[in-house]
Amino acid sequence: MDNTLSPGLYIVATPIGNLGDITLRSVETLRMVSAVACEDTRVTGKLLHHLGIKQRLIRYDDHAGEGDRERLLALMMDEPVALVSDAGTPLISDPGYRLVRTARERGIAVTSLPGPNAAVVGMTLSGLPNDRFLFAGFLPNKAKAREDTLTALGQVPATLVFYETAPRLDAALAAIEAVLPGREVAVARELTKKFEECRTGTPGALAAHYAAHPPKGEIVLLIAPPGEEAAPSDFDVDALLRAALADAKPSQAAAAVAKATGLDRKTLYARAMELK
Ligand code: SAM
């Protein structure tokens, strides 16, 4: 690898949890640029410290204004400048869009170094159809806007991929259950980290599971295309029944799980008696 870099903008993807997930080229580039534009200098400072790199850090976050952007653009006319976000691929639900657009308009060299992205990791892990997927960022915060988004996207013949946070997961699953009942959903959580988990089922079954086991951490939420009805696995059903049996009688547990999954209550009751 050359030991100099031409002036321009270097978009560098960084790990989404596991610090081993950074490419050799990204490490070299972060070492060789003149400055690193980042969302939070403490977060990027820690990553660079871990990589043994000392760099000039320039804050460039969601609140960056015209002046911040112009200063960075002026710098990258003469020097190589990296853009990173706190985690993952810059610009994907992260800052950078205007910076890249203006840099390209002004003829500044822009290159993008691929690496971790939570949406793609969630997509590959979920087992949902992957020939076509539509990444839609975060679902809106307000209930009506969230349902409108799901109604609008729900008929698209592609797996839908959203970013979500743990405190909002129950509201998101309830909205999916209301708008797209029975659709197979995957919750991919804490990807690349110690407690990585990917759980699939109907929105109702997943809501019941996470009501009993409140989720922590970062989440990618995926919804299968139209026509993909969920068939909860025996493992899922057993987990739901066990969770419900923790504070209910078998008949009540079976009724609750039947409501959440649409499965036959008598069959669930028989299984609940076996598990009890
Ligand atoms: N640019 C990032 C990327 O390439 O993945 C995404 C940034 S966005 C502000 C943060 C959201 O990404 C989180 O709320 C979560 O939905 C998702 N995310 C990031 N890291 C994750 C992880 N390790 N596991 C699951 N989801 C993650």
Side-chain angles (χ1 to χ4, degrees):
M1 195 178 282
D2 274 354
N3 57 1
T4 55
L5 285 176
S6 324
L9 175 58
Y10 294 77
I11 303 165
V12 179
T14 57
I16 56 169
N18 188 321
L19 291 180
D21 294 337
I22 185 155
T23 69
L24 298 173
R25 184 155 79 106
S26 295
V27 174
E28 274 318 291
T29 300
L30 289 172
R31 202 186 299 285
M32 291 194 302
V33 288
S34 300
V36 176
C38 59
E39 288 183 87
D40 183 330
T41 52
R42 281 164 309 176
V43 172
T44 300
K46 269 193 205 153
L47 173 68
L48 294 184
H49 179 76
H50 170 81
L51 298 171
I53 296 174
K54 245 185 136 22
Q55 260 299 357
R56 173 182 172 201
L57 298 179
I58 302 174
R59 194 176 178 114
Y60 188 80
D61 60 12
D62 281 333
H63 309 290
E66 199 68 36
D68 301 308
R69 194 157 40 251
E70 286 303 328
R71 273 189 290 281
L72 267 183
L73 288 161
L75 185 62
M76 62 184 72
M77 297 279 281
D78 301 324
E79 313 255 0
V81 177
L83 172 71
V84 301
S85 53
D86 282 352
T89 301
L91 283 86
I92 307 300
S93 293
D94 268 335
Y97 163 72
R98 286 214 170 75
L99 186 69
V100 170
R101 195 170 171 83
T102 317
R104 292 179 60 81
E105 280 164 6
R106 294 188 188 171
I108 295 171
V110 180
T111 189
S112 186
L113 284 70
N117 166 246
V120 170
V121 180
M123 182 73 252
T124 53
L125 194 60
S126 68
L128 298 188
N130 55 40
D131 50 336
R132 246 193 229 175
F133 60 91
L134 189 156
F135 171 66
F138 286 91
L139 275 170
N141 248 325
K142 298 221 164 86
K144 167 86 171 63
R146 193 160 47 223
E147 293 198 358
D148 289 350
T149 300
L150 288 168
T151 305
L153 296 179
Q155 298 318 312
V156 174
T159 291
L160 304 177
V161 186
F162 296 98
Y163 283 158
E164 209 28 282
T165 61
R168 299 188 342 162
L169 180 64
D170 57 346
L173 290 171
I176 300 169
E177 171 68 359
V179 178
L180 307 168
R183 199 70 78 81
E184 186 171 7
V185 170
V187 174
R189 210 170 56 78
E190 292 292 83
L191 298 169
T192 78
K193 303 184 195 178
K194 187 171 175 195
F195 296 108
E196 176 177 288
E197 149 183 280
C198 184
R199 196 169 276 276
T200 54
T202 59
L206 290 167
H209 171 81
Y210 287 110
H213 306 93
K216 289 195 183 125
E218 302 190 278
I219 292 167
V220 179
L221 186 60
L222 303 102
I223 306 176
E228 297 285 333
E229 303 309 322
S233 67
D234 291 345
F235 172 79
D236 271 343
V237 170
D238 283 359
L240 291 172
L241 282 171
R242 281 205 181 88
L245 281 167
D247 46 23
K249 291 192 288 197
S251 58
Q252 294 165 326
V257 175
K259 187 160 180 272
T261 60
L263 294 174
D264 177 56
R265 190 168 57 81
K266 280 196 185 136
T267 312
L268 289 168
Y269 176 71
R271 182 68 183 145
M273 291 300 286
E274 285 169 14
L275 290 174
K276 190 167 170 282

